[in-house]
Amino acid sequence: MVPGTVPARRHSQDPNLTVASGAVDPPRCPPVWLIPLLWTLALGLWGLSRQHSVWRDEAATWQVAQRSVTDIWHMLGQVDAVHGFYYLVMHGLFACFGPSTTTLRLPSVLAMGVAVTCVAVIGRRLAGFWAGLAGGLAFGLLPAVQFYLQEGRPYAMVAAGAGLSTLLLVSALEGRARTALWAAYAGAVAVCGLLNWLALLILPAHLLTLLWTRPGRGTWRRWAMAAAAVVATVLPLILFSRRQAHQVSWIPPLTWHMLIGPAVLLAIGALGALLDPSRRGRLSVTAVGLPLLAVPQVCLIGLSAIRPLFVDRYVLFSMLGLALLIGAALAAAVRAAGRRFPRASSWLVPVVVTLAVVTLLPQLLANRSPESRVDDVLTVATDVRRLKEAGDAVLFVPAARRDTALVSPHDFSGLRDIALAVGPEVSGTLKGEEASPARIRSAMLAQDRILLVTDAPEVARPVSAQRDKVKARVLEEYFTVVADEQVRGRRVTVYQRSSPHGRFTGGRLPSTGGAR
Protein backbone atom coordinates (compact mmCIF):
# COMPACT_ATOMS: atom_id res chain seq x y z
CA MET A 1 0.00 0.00 0.00
CA VAL A 2 1.32 3.45 -0.89
CA PRO A 3 1.85 5.63 2.19
CA GLY A 4 -0.54 8.50 2.51
CA THR A 5 -3.21 7.02 0.23
CA VAL A 6 -5.41 5.12 2.67
CA PRO A 7 -8.65 6.99 3.34
CA ALA A 8 -9.75 7.21 6.92
CA ARG A 9 -12.62 8.61 8.88
CA ARG A 10 -11.90 11.32 11.41
CA HIS A 11 -14.61 12.47 13.80
CA SER A 12 -14.98 16.18 14.44
CA GLN A 13 -16.00 17.72 17.74
CA ASP A 14 -19.44 18.22 16.21
CA PRO A 15 -21.34 15.02 17.14
CA ASN A 16 -23.44 15.30 13.99
CA LEU A 17 -20.52 15.41 11.60
CA THR A 18 -18.02 12.87 10.31
CA VAL A 19 -14.97 13.99 8.42
CA ALA A 20 -13.45 12.00 5.57
CA SER A 21 -9.69 12.36 5.66
CA GLY A 22 -6.50 10.87 4.43
CA ALA A 23 -3.90 9.07 6.49
CA VAL A 24 -0.39 10.27 7.24
CA ASP A 25 1.74 11.95 4.62
CA PRO A 26 4.41 9.96 2.79
CA PRO A 27 7.59 9.86 4.88
CA ARG A 28 10.16 12.66 4.55
CA CYS A 29 7.91 14.81 2.37
CA PRO A 30 7.56 18.61 2.57
CA PRO A 31 4.26 20.19 3.63
CA VAL A 32 1.69 19.38 0.98
CA TRP A 33 1.09 23.06 0.15
CA LEU A 34 4.74 23.94 -0.47
CA ILE A 35 5.19 22.35 -3.91
CA PRO A 36 1.92 23.77 -5.39
CA LEU A 37 2.78 27.18 -3.92
CA LEU A 38 6.25 27.26 -5.45
CA TRP A 39 4.82 25.86 -8.69
CA THR A 40 2.20 28.59 -8.94
CA LEU A 41 4.63 31.36 -8.02
CA ALA A 42 7.09 30.12 -10.65
CA LEU A 43 4.34 30.12 -13.30
CA GLY A 44 3.30 33.59 -12.20
CA LEU A 45 6.76 35.11 -12.30
CA TRP A 46 7.51 33.55 -15.68
CA GLY A 47 7.03 36.29 -18.28
CA LEU A 48 5.37 38.60 -15.75
CA SER A 49 5.90 41.78 -17.79
CA ARG A 50 4.27 40.16 -20.84
CA GLN A 51 6.94 41.80 -23.04
CA HIS A 52 6.30 45.11 -21.30
CA SER A 53 2.66 45.34 -22.35
CA VAL A 54 -0.44 46.56 -20.54
CA TRP A 55 -3.94 46.13 -21.95
CA ARG A 56 -6.95 48.42 -21.51
CA ASP A 57 -8.41 46.85 -18.34
CA GLU A 58 -5.03 46.94 -16.62
CA ALA A 59 -4.56 50.50 -17.87
CA ALA A 60 -7.57 51.50 -15.77
CA THR A 61 -5.86 50.06 -12.69
CA TRP A 62 -2.58 51.77 -13.60
CA GLN A 63 -3.97 55.26 -14.07
CA VAL A 64 -6.43 55.20 -11.15
CA ALA A 65 -3.85 53.80 -8.72
CA GLN A 66 -1.69 56.88 -9.32
CA ARG A 67 -4.44 59.32 -8.34
CA SER A 68 -4.77 60.66 -4.81
CA VAL A 69 -7.18 59.00 -2.42
CA THR A 70 -9.41 62.09 -2.71
CA ASP A 71 -9.47 61.82 -6.51
CA ILE A 72 -10.15 58.08 -6.36
CA TRP A 73 -13.05 58.65 -3.98
CA HIS A 74 -14.40 61.36 -6.27
CA MET A 75 -14.18 59.00 -9.26
CA LEU A 76 -15.98 56.17 -7.43
CA GLY A 77 -19.01 58.40 -7.13
CA GLN A 78 -19.20 58.44 -10.94
CA VAL A 79 -17.77 55.15 -12.20
CA ASP A 80 -16.16 51.87 -11.12
CA ALA A 81 -17.46 51.85 -7.55
CA VAL A 82 -17.46 48.06 -7.75
CA HIS A 83 -13.64 48.14 -8.00
CA GLY A 84 -13.09 50.91 -5.47
CA PHE A 85 -11.54 48.79 -2.73
CA TYR A 86 -9.14 47.23 -5.22
CA TYR A 87 -8.09 50.64 -6.53
CA LEU A 88 -7.32 51.83 -3.02
CA VAL A 89 -5.18 48.74 -2.38
CA MET A 90 -3.29 49.29 -5.63
CA HIS A 91 -2.89 53.00 -4.83
CA GLY A 92 -1.01 52.02 -1.69
CA LEU A 93 1.20 49.58 -3.58
CA PHE A 94 1.97 52.06 -6.36
CA ALA A 95 2.81 54.68 -3.73
CA CYS A 96 5.23 52.30 -2.01
CA PHE A 97 6.86 50.60 -5.00
CA GLY A 98 6.17 52.88 -7.95
CA PRO A 99 4.23 52.18 -11.16
CA SER A 100 5.51 49.17 -13.11
CA THR A 101 4.20 45.96 -14.60
CA THR A 102 5.64 44.14 -11.58
CA THR A 103 3.75 46.29 -9.10
CA LEU A 104 0.65 45.93 -11.27
CA ARG A 105 0.68 42.12 -11.54
CA LEU A 106 2.68 40.70 -8.65
CA PRO A 107 -0.24 41.09 -6.20
CA SER A 108 -2.27 38.75 -8.41
CA VAL A 109 0.55 36.21 -8.46
CA LEU A 110 0.83 36.29 -4.67
CA ALA A 111 -2.95 36.10 -4.32
CA MET A 112 -3.08 32.99 -6.50
CA GLY A 113 -0.32 31.60 -4.29
CA VAL A 114 -2.64 32.01 -1.31
CA ALA A 115 -5.49 30.39 -3.23
CA VAL A 116 -3.44 27.39 -4.29
CA THR A 117 -2.17 26.93 -0.73
CA CYS A 118 -5.76 26.76 0.49
CA VAL A 119 -6.65 24.20 -2.18
CA ALA A 120 -3.73 21.99 -1.16
CA VAL A 121 -4.50 22.20 2.56
CA ILE A 122 -8.22 21.51 2.08
CA GLY A 123 -7.50 18.57 -0.21
CA ARG A 124 -4.97 17.14 2.24
CA ARG A 125 -7.37 17.41 5.17
CA LEU A 126 -10.33 15.88 3.40
CA ALA A 127 -8.82 13.28 1.07
CA GLY A 128 -5.16 12.79 1.87
CA PHE A 129 -1.75 13.91 0.68
CA TRP A 130 -2.17 13.09 -3.00
CA ALA A 131 -5.49 14.93 -3.22
CA GLY A 132 -3.90 18.05 -1.76
CA LEU A 133 -0.83 17.86 -3.95
CA ALA A 134 -2.71 17.06 -7.16
CA GLY A 135 -5.42 19.64 -6.49
CA GLY A 136 -2.87 22.37 -5.85
CA LEU A 137 -0.85 21.57 -8.95
CA ALA A 138 -4.03 21.33 -11.04
CA PHE A 139 -5.27 24.71 -9.85
CA GLY A 140 -2.10 26.42 -11.03
CA LEU A 141 -2.52 24.89 -14.50
CA LEU A 142 -6.20 25.60 -15.12
CA PRO A 143 -6.45 27.86 -18.21
CA ALA A 144 -8.67 30.44 -16.50
CA VAL A 145 -6.29 30.62 -13.54
CA GLN A 146 -3.32 30.96 -15.88
CA PHE A 147 -4.94 33.89 -17.66
CA TYR A 148 -5.71 35.89 -14.50
CA LEU A 149 -2.57 34.79 -12.67
CA GLN A 150 -0.75 37.73 -14.31
CA GLU A 151 -3.59 40.23 -14.53
CA GLY A 152 -3.60 43.63 -12.86
CA ARG A 153 -7.24 43.30 -11.83
CA PRO A 154 -8.95 42.06 -8.63
CA TYR A 155 -10.02 38.57 -9.68
CA ALA A 156 -6.99 36.72 -8.27
CA MET A 157 -7.47 38.50 -4.95
CA VAL A 158 -11.09 37.36 -4.91
CA ALA A 159 -9.91 33.79 -5.51
CA ALA A 160 -7.50 34.11 -2.58
CA GLY A 161 -10.26 35.35 -0.29
CA ALA A 162 -12.59 32.61 -1.48
CA GLY A 163 -9.94 29.96 -0.84
CA LEU A 164 -9.21 31.31 2.63
CA SER A 165 -12.88 31.52 3.59
CA THR A 166 -13.48 27.96 2.38
CA LEU A 167 -10.51 26.71 4.38
CA LEU A 168 -11.87 28.48 7.46
CA LEU A 169 -15.29 26.92 6.88
CA VAL A 170 -13.71 23.46 6.63
CA SER A 171 -11.83 24.14 9.86
CA ALA A 172 -15.07 25.10 11.56
CA LEU A 173 -16.83 21.98 10.30
CA GLU A 174 -13.92 19.88 11.54
CA GLY A 175 -14.67 21.11 15.04
CA ARG A 176 -12.02 23.82 15.32
CA ALA A 177 -14.62 26.56 15.49
CA ARG A 178 -13.80 29.54 17.67
CA THR A 179 -15.18 33.03 17.70
CA ALA A 180 -11.98 34.28 16.08
CA LEU A 181 -12.30 31.71 13.30
CA TRP A 182 -15.84 32.77 12.41
CA ALA A 183 -14.79 36.41 12.56
CA ALA A 184 -11.94 35.62 10.17
CA TYR A 185 -14.38 33.77 7.91
CA ALA A 186 -16.73 36.75 7.79
CA GLY A 187 -13.79 39.09 7.15
CA ALA A 188 -12.46 36.99 4.27
CA VAL A 189 -15.84 36.80 2.53
CA ALA A 190 -16.46 40.50 3.13
CA VAL A 191 -13.13 41.42 1.51
CA CYS A 192 -14.10 39.25 -1.47
CA GLY A 193 -17.39 41.10 -1.72
CA LEU A 194 -15.72 44.50 -1.53
CA LEU A 195 -13.34 43.47 -4.31
CA ASN A 196 -16.27 42.29 -6.45
CA TRP A 197 -19.71 41.89 -4.94
CA LEU A 198 -20.53 38.95 -7.22
CA ALA A 199 -18.03 37.06 -5.07
CA LEU A 200 -20.84 36.81 -2.51
CA LEU A 201 -22.07 33.90 -4.63
CA ILE A 202 -19.67 31.90 -2.49
CA LEU A 203 -22.19 32.14 0.36
CA PRO A 204 -24.85 29.95 -1.32
CA ALA A 205 -22.03 27.54 -2.23
CA HIS A 206 -21.03 27.29 1.42
CA LEU A 207 -24.71 26.99 2.36
CA LEU A 208 -24.99 23.91 0.16
CA THR A 209 -21.90 22.46 1.84
CA LEU A 210 -23.59 22.93 5.21
CA LEU A 211 -26.78 21.28 3.93
CA TRP A 212 -24.68 18.41 2.60
CA THR A 213 -22.74 17.82 5.82
CA ARG A 214 -25.57 18.55 8.30
CA PRO A 215 -23.56 20.08 11.16
CA GLY A 216 -24.99 20.94 14.59
CA ARG A 217 -27.27 23.83 15.39
CA GLY A 218 -24.44 25.90 16.83
CA THR A 219 -22.50 25.78 13.57
CA TRP A 220 -25.57 26.84 11.64
CA ARG A 221 -26.14 29.76 13.96
CA ARG A 222 -22.57 31.02 13.73
CA TRP A 223 -22.47 30.69 9.95
CA ALA A 224 -25.77 32.55 9.60
CA MET A 225 -24.46 35.38 11.79
CA ALA A 226 -21.23 35.58 9.76
CA ALA A 227 -23.13 35.56 6.45
CA ALA A 228 -25.52 38.26 7.68
CA ALA A 229 -22.59 40.44 8.75
CA VAL A 230 -20.99 40.02 5.31
CA VAL A 231 -24.16 40.94 3.45
CA ALA A 232 -24.68 43.97 5.69
CA THR A 233 -21.12 45.09 4.96
CA VAL A 234 -21.32 44.71 1.18
CA LEU A 235 -24.96 45.69 0.62
CA PRO A 236 -24.28 49.46 0.48
CA LEU A 237 -21.75 48.84 -2.31
CA ILE A 238 -24.24 46.67 -4.19
CA LEU A 239 -26.98 49.28 -3.97
CA PHE A 240 -24.69 52.16 -4.91
CA SER A 241 -23.05 50.35 -7.82
CA ARG A 242 -26.46 49.75 -9.37
CA ARG A 243 -26.45 53.44 -10.29
CA GLN A 244 -23.46 52.66 -12.51
CA ALA A 245 -25.06 49.68 -14.24
CA HIS A 246 -24.35 51.28 -17.62
CA GLN A 247 -20.73 50.18 -17.19
CA VAL A 248 -21.69 46.56 -17.85
CA SER A 249 -23.92 47.39 -20.81
CA TRP A 250 -21.26 45.85 -23.06
CA ILE A 251 -21.99 42.35 -21.69
CA PRO A 252 -24.07 40.48 -24.29
CA PRO A 253 -27.30 38.67 -23.40
CA LEU A 254 -26.95 35.07 -22.36
CA THR A 255 -26.94 32.61 -25.27
CA TRP A 256 -26.73 28.86 -25.46
CA HIS A 257 -23.16 28.81 -26.74
CA MET A 258 -22.07 30.80 -23.67
CA LEU A 259 -23.20 27.87 -21.54
CA ILE A 260 -20.84 25.38 -23.19
CA GLY A 261 -17.87 26.35 -21.00
CA PRO A 262 -19.75 26.09 -17.68
CA ALA A 263 -21.33 22.82 -18.82
CA VAL A 264 -17.91 21.31 -19.55
CA LEU A 265 -16.57 22.47 -16.19
CA LEU A 266 -19.56 21.03 -14.35
CA ALA A 267 -19.19 17.73 -16.21
CA ILE A 268 -15.52 17.49 -15.22
CA GLY A 269 -16.43 18.38 -11.64
CA ALA A 270 -19.19 15.76 -11.54
CA LEU A 271 -16.75 13.12 -12.79
CA GLY A 272 -14.31 14.06 -10.06
CA ALA A 273 -17.10 13.85 -7.49
CA LEU A 274 -18.01 10.34 -8.66
CA LEU A 275 -14.42 9.24 -8.12
CA ASP A 276 -14.36 10.61 -4.57
CA PRO A 277 -14.98 7.53 -2.38
CA SER A 278 -16.05 9.52 0.69
CA ARG A 279 -18.72 11.73 -0.71
CA ARG A 280 -21.98 10.65 0.91
CA GLY A 281 -23.22 12.60 3.93
CA ARG A 282 -19.83 13.58 5.33
CA LEU A 283 -17.45 16.49 5.10
CA SER A 284 -15.50 15.52 2.02
CA VAL A 285 -13.90 17.01 -1.06
CA THR A 286 -17.16 16.56 -2.95
CA ALA A 287 -19.19 18.25 -0.22
CA VAL A 288 -16.88 21.27 -0.45
CA GLY A 289 -15.65 21.28 -4.03
CA LEU A 290 -18.78 20.50 -6.02
CA PRO A 291 -20.90 23.34 -4.54
CA LEU A 292 -17.95 25.71 -4.87
CA LEU A 293 -17.67 24.87 -8.56
CA ALA A 294 -21.35 24.61 -9.48
CA VAL A 295 -23.28 27.11 -7.38
CA PRO A 296 -21.50 30.34 -8.45
CA GLN A 297 -21.72 29.31 -12.11
CA VAL A 298 -25.40 28.42 -11.89
CA CYS A 299 -26.27 31.53 -9.87
CA LEU A 300 -24.47 33.81 -12.32
CA ILE A 301 -26.32 32.18 -15.20
CA GLY A 302 -29.58 32.79 -13.33
CA LEU A 303 -28.72 36.45 -12.71
CA SER A 304 -27.79 36.82 -16.37
CA ALA A 305 -31.23 35.68 -17.39
CA ILE A 306 -32.52 38.81 -15.64
CA ARG A 307 -29.73 41.20 -16.64
CA PRO A 308 -26.69 40.28 -18.78
CA LEU A 309 -23.83 39.69 -16.33
CA PHE A 310 -22.26 36.43 -17.46
CA VAL A 311 -18.51 36.91 -17.67
CA ASP A 312 -16.42 33.96 -16.53
CA ARG A 313 -13.90 36.05 -14.59
CA TYR A 314 -16.64 37.16 -12.20
CA VAL A 315 -16.74 33.60 -10.84
CA LEU A 316 -13.07 32.74 -11.32
CA PHE A 317 -13.01 31.62 -7.68
CA SER A 318 -15.20 28.64 -8.62
CA MET A 319 -12.06 27.09 -10.12
CA LEU A 320 -11.05 26.30 -6.54
CA GLY A 321 -13.83 23.72 -6.48
CA LEU A 322 -12.77 22.24 -9.80
CA ALA A 323 -9.18 21.87 -8.59
CA LEU A 324 -10.33 20.15 -5.38
CA LEU A 325 -12.38 17.64 -7.37
CA ILE A 326 -9.52 16.97 -9.81
CA GLY A 327 -7.22 16.39 -6.86
CA ALA A 328 -9.66 13.95 -5.28
CA ALA A 329 -10.05 12.07 -8.56
CA LEU A 330 -6.28 11.71 -8.98
CA ALA A 331 -5.94 10.61 -5.36
CA ALA A 332 -8.55 7.91 -6.00
CA ALA A 333 -6.57 6.84 -9.07
CA VAL A 334 -3.40 6.63 -6.96
CA ARG A 335 -5.19 4.43 -4.43
CA ALA A 336 -6.55 2.18 -7.16
CA ALA A 337 -3.12 1.91 -8.80
CA GLY A 338 -1.51 1.25 -5.42
CA ARG A 339 -3.47 -1.92 -4.99
CA ARG A 340 -1.99 -3.39 -8.18
CA PHE A 341 1.25 -1.46 -8.68
CA PRO A 342 2.30 -0.23 -5.21
CA ARG A 343 5.76 0.97 -6.28
CA ALA A 344 4.65 2.73 -9.45
CA SER A 345 1.49 4.41 -8.11
CA SER A 346 3.39 7.27 -6.48
CA TRP A 347 4.48 8.38 -9.96
CA LEU A 348 0.93 8.80 -11.22
CA VAL A 349 0.44 12.42 -10.15
CA PRO A 350 3.85 13.63 -11.45
CA VAL A 351 3.24 11.89 -14.78
CA VAL A 352 -0.27 13.35 -15.16
CA VAL A 353 0.98 16.84 -14.29
CA THR A 354 3.84 16.52 -16.78
CA LEU A 355 1.43 15.46 -19.53
CA ALA A 356 -0.84 18.38 -18.65
CA VAL A 357 2.07 20.82 -18.89
CA VAL A 358 3.09 19.44 -22.28
CA THR A 359 -0.49 19.64 -23.53
CA LEU A 360 -1.07 23.15 -22.21
CA LEU A 361 2.37 24.52 -23.11
CA PRO A 362 1.16 26.39 -26.23
CA GLN A 363 -1.51 28.11 -24.15
CA LEU A 364 0.96 28.86 -21.35
CA LEU A 365 3.24 30.55 -23.86
CA ALA A 366 0.36 32.40 -25.53
CA ASN A 367 -0.88 33.82 -22.21
CA ARG A 368 2.52 35.42 -21.69
CA SER A 369 2.52 37.25 -24.99
CA PRO A 370 0.94 40.67 -25.64
CA GLU A 371 -1.29 39.07 -28.26
CA SER A 372 -3.17 37.22 -25.51
CA ARG A 373 -4.98 40.49 -24.74
CA VAL A 374 -7.11 42.63 -27.00
CA ASP A 375 -4.62 45.52 -27.09
CA ASP A 376 -1.53 47.13 -25.56
CA VAL A 377 -1.48 50.74 -24.40
CA LEU A 378 2.30 50.96 -23.93
CA THR A 379 3.56 50.02 -27.38
CA VAL A 380 1.28 52.46 -29.20
CA ALA A 381 2.51 55.20 -26.84
CA THR A 382 6.03 54.49 -28.09
CA ASP A 383 4.80 54.98 -31.65
CA VAL A 384 3.23 58.30 -30.68
CA ARG A 385 6.52 59.50 -29.21
CA ARG A 386 8.32 58.57 -32.42
CA LEU A 387 5.77 60.13 -34.79
CA LYS A 388 4.91 63.36 -32.99
CA GLU A 389 6.33 66.75 -33.95
CA ALA A 390 6.34 70.09 -32.19
CA GLY A 391 2.93 71.75 -32.33
CA ASP A 392 0.98 68.57 -33.08
CA ALA A 393 -2.47 67.89 -31.63
CA VAL A 394 -3.87 64.52 -30.57
CA LEU A 395 -7.34 62.97 -30.68
CA PHE A 396 -8.70 59.72 -29.28
CA VAL A 397 -11.50 57.64 -30.82
CA PRO A 398 -13.27 56.52 -28.75
CA ALA A 399 -12.45 58.75 -25.80
CA ALA A 400 -11.60 55.66 -23.75
CA ARG A 401 -8.43 55.25 -25.85
CA ARG A 402 -7.10 58.23 -23.88
CA ASP A 403 -5.89 55.57 -21.44
CA THR A 404 -2.73 55.38 -23.54
CA ALA A 405 -1.84 58.96 -22.65
CA LEU A 406 -2.86 58.55 -19.02
CA VAL A 407 -0.58 55.54 -18.55
CA SER A 408 2.36 57.01 -20.54
CA PRO A 409 2.05 60.81 -20.21
CA HIS A 410 5.74 61.37 -21.00
CA ASP A 411 5.24 59.91 -24.49
CA PHE A 412 2.51 62.48 -25.15
CA SER A 413 4.39 65.48 -23.79
CA GLY A 414 4.12 68.46 -26.14
CA LEU A 415 0.89 67.20 -27.74
CA ARG A 416 -2.33 69.13 -27.21
CA ASP A 417 -5.43 67.07 -26.46
CA ILE A 418 -7.77 69.38 -28.36
CA ALA A 419 -10.99 67.47 -27.62
CA LEU A 420 -10.54 67.29 -23.85
CA ALA A 421 -12.58 69.81 -21.85
CA VAL A 422 -12.21 68.44 -18.30
CA GLY A 423 -9.47 66.02 -17.24
CA PRO A 424 -10.21 62.59 -15.75
CA GLU A 425 -9.16 63.54 -12.21
CA VAL A 426 -11.29 66.68 -12.10
CA SER A 427 -14.30 65.07 -13.80
CA GLY A 428 -14.05 61.93 -11.68
CA THR A 429 -14.00 59.65 -14.72
CA LEU A 430 -11.62 57.24 -16.41
CA LYS A 431 -11.42 59.11 -19.70
CA GLY A 432 -12.26 62.75 -18.94
CA GLU A 433 -15.03 64.84 -20.45
CA GLU A 434 -14.73 66.05 -24.02
CA ALA A 435 -15.93 69.35 -25.47
CA SER A 436 -19.05 69.69 -27.60
CA PRO A 437 -18.88 68.43 -31.21
CA ALA A 438 -18.89 72.02 -32.52
CA ARG A 439 -15.93 73.04 -30.36
CA ILE A 440 -14.02 69.90 -31.32
CA ARG A 441 -14.59 70.68 -35.00
CA SER A 442 -13.36 74.26 -34.58
CA ALA A 443 -10.28 73.10 -32.68
CA MET A 444 -9.46 70.52 -35.35
CA LEU A 445 -9.73 73.05 -38.18
CA ALA A 446 -7.16 75.22 -36.43
CA GLN A 447 -4.52 72.45 -36.59
CA ASP A 448 -1.92 71.58 -39.20
CA ARG A 449 -1.14 68.08 -37.91
CA ILE A 450 -3.24 65.73 -35.79
CA LEU A 451 -2.33 62.35 -34.33
CA LEU A 452 -5.31 60.01 -33.99
CA VAL A 453 -5.09 57.17 -31.47
CA THR A 454 -7.75 54.53 -31.97
CA ASP A 455 -8.36 50.79 -32.17
CA ALA A 456 -6.89 48.57 -34.84
CA PRO A 457 -9.48 47.39 -37.39
CA GLU A 458 -9.60 43.84 -36.03
CA VAL A 459 -10.86 45.01 -32.61
CA ALA A 460 -12.60 48.28 -33.58
CA ARG A 461 -16.32 48.82 -33.29
CA PRO A 462 -18.37 51.20 -35.42
CA VAL A 463 -18.20 54.85 -34.41
CA SER A 464 -21.35 55.70 -32.44
CA ALA A 465 -20.72 58.80 -30.31
CA GLN A 466 -21.56 62.07 -32.03
CA ARG A 467 -18.22 63.59 -31.03
CA ASP A 468 -16.36 60.71 -32.65
CA LYS A 469 -18.41 61.04 -35.83
CA VAL A 470 -17.43 64.72 -36.02
CA LYS A 471 -13.76 63.82 -35.56
CA ALA A 472 -13.96 61.27 -38.35
CA ARG A 473 -15.80 63.63 -40.69
CA VAL A 474 -13.38 66.52 -40.24
CA LEU A 475 -10.33 64.30 -40.68
CA GLU A 476 -11.75 62.83 -43.86
CA GLU A 477 -12.73 66.17 -45.36
CA TYR A 478 -9.79 68.41 -44.42
CA PHE A 479 -6.80 66.17 -43.69
CA THR A 480 -4.73 63.52 -45.41
CA VAL A 481 -2.97 60.51 -43.89
CA VAL A 482 0.82 60.87 -43.85
CA ALA A 483 1.67 58.01 -41.47
CA ASP A 484 -0.22 55.02 -40.13
CA GLU A 485 1.04 52.51 -37.56
CA GLN A 486 -0.82 49.51 -36.15
CA VAL A 487 0.48 47.44 -33.28
CA ARG A 488 -1.09 45.07 -30.76
CA GLY A 489 -4.70 46.13 -31.18
CA ARG A 490 -4.04 49.88 -31.28
CA ARG A 491 -3.51 52.31 -34.13
CA VAL A 492 -1.91 55.74 -34.40
CA THR A 493 -2.48 57.73 -37.60
CA VAL A 494 -0.86 61.04 -38.44
CA TYR A 495 -2.99 63.52 -40.40
CA GLN A 496 -1.66 66.57 -42.23
CA ARG A 497 -3.96 69.45 -43.20
CA SER A 498 -4.47 69.08 -46.95
CA SER A 499 -5.66 72.58 -47.78
CA PRO A 500 -7.36 75.43 -45.95
CA HIS A 501 -10.49 75.09 -48.12
CA GLY A 502 -12.38 72.36 -49.85
CA ARG A 503 -12.56 68.64 -49.40
CA PHE A 504 -9.56 66.35 -49.68
CA THR A 505 -10.32 63.19 -51.62
CA GLY A 506 -6.95 61.51 -51.85
CA GLY A 507 -6.63 60.29 -48.28
CA ARG A 508 -8.69 57.75 -46.40
CA LEU A 509 -9.67 57.76 -42.77
CA PRO A 510 -8.70 54.55 -41.02
CA SER A 511 -11.54 52.45 -39.68
CA THR A 512 -12.15 53.70 -36.17
CA GLY A 513 -14.32 52.45 -33.43
CA GLY A 514 -14.64 51.80 -29.79
CA ALA A 515 -14.41 48.70 -27.73
CA ARG A 516 -15.56 48.19 -24.22
Side-chain angles (χ1 to χ4, degrees), residues 92-116:
L93 294 174
F94 271 51
C96 291
F97 303 105
S100 68
T101 54
T102 300
T103 308
L104 179 70
R105 297 185 183 128
L106 187 58
S108 292
V109 175
L110 298 178
M112 284 300 191
V114 173
V116 77

Side-chain angles (χ1 to χ4, degrees), residues 248-263:
V248 293
S249 60
W250 59 267
I251 300 177
L254 194 65
T255 58
W256 287 109
H257 79 273
M258 295 169 66
L259 302 179
I260 295 175

Side-chain angles (χ1 to χ4, degrees), residues 32-153:
V32 69
W33 52 265
L34 182 60
I35 294 176
L37 173 62
L38 295 177
W39 167 254
T40 302
L41 293 179
L43 289 173
L45 295 175
W46 169 32
L48 183 62
S49 73
R50 208 181 303 130
Q51 300 177 33
H52 193 62
S53 65
V54 172
W55 77 294
R56 62 184 62 173
D57 279 17
E58 292 180 312
T61 300
W62 187 299
Q63 56 131 326
V64 174
Q66 295 188 81
R67 301 184 188 185
S68 67
V69 173
T70 302
D71 286 341
I72 294 175
W73 191 256
H74 174 46
M75 185 202 75
L76 299 180
Q78 321 298 321
V79 295
D80 259 8
V82 69
H83 296 312
F85 183 68
Y86 174 71
Y87 286 146
L88 291 172
V89 171
M90 295 305 294
H91 167 79
L93 294 174
F94 271 51
C96 291
F97 303 105
S100 68
T101 54
T102 300
T103 308
L104 179 70
R105 297 185 183 128
L106 187 58
S108 292
V109 175
L110 298 178
M112 284 300 191
V114 173
V116 77
T117 298
C118 294
V119 169
V121 173
I122 294 170
R124 165 67 186 93
R125 286 188 186 179
L126 300 183
F129 175 83
W130 291 113
L133 179 64
L137 294 174
F139 181 77
L141 278 176
L142 291 175
V145 172
Q146 276 292 301
F147 190 89
Y148 293 103
L149 175 65
Q150 299 177 329
E151 185 84 348
R153 297 300 280 171

